[in-house]
Amino acid sequence: MLPCWKCGGEAEVNELHTGGKPLYTVACQKHYCGAYGAGSSSIQKAIEFWNTRPTLPVGRCGECAAYVDSKCANTGYYKSETGFCDDFAPKEDI
C-alpha cells in the first residue's frame, strides 16, 4: 500500500462492522492524522481505492523549500526538521 497522502505515515486496512457484511477501508495508522480511503466490501478493492487516489508530495520539513530558520514560511509555525511538511515543495537542487 502507498503511504498516507496526508502525512506520509503507514496505512492499514480496517474492517468496519455495519450490522451486515463487513466494510473495508484503508486509513492512516496515525490516528491524529484522520486520512482514510473509500470503503468497499472487498479488501483488495479498498486497497486499490487507496492506491489510486492522487498523492500529494510529502517530505520532511528540513527538505522543504518553505523551511527557513526552523520555521515554515507557509504557516508561520516553528517545526522540527524531521517532521513532515503538509505543504511540501522540494528544495531546488543546486
Side-chain angles (χ1 to χ4, degrees), residues 8-61:
E10 289 188 44
E12 65 184 353
V13 175
N14 293 309
E15 182 177 333
L16 307 173
H17 298 279
T18 61
K21 291 184 178 181
L23 183 67
Y24 300 96
T25 185
V26 177
C28 182
Q29 288 183 359
K30 296 179 181 178
H31 298 287
Y32 63 85
C33 174
Y36 61 92
S40 175
S41 60
S42 154
I43 292 174
Q44 279 305 115
K45 201 67 168 166
I47 293 170
E48 182 181 321
F49 289 151
W50 177 267
N51 286 342
T52 56
R53 46 81 175 136
T55 57
L56 300 174
V58 175
R60 301 238 180 241
C61 292

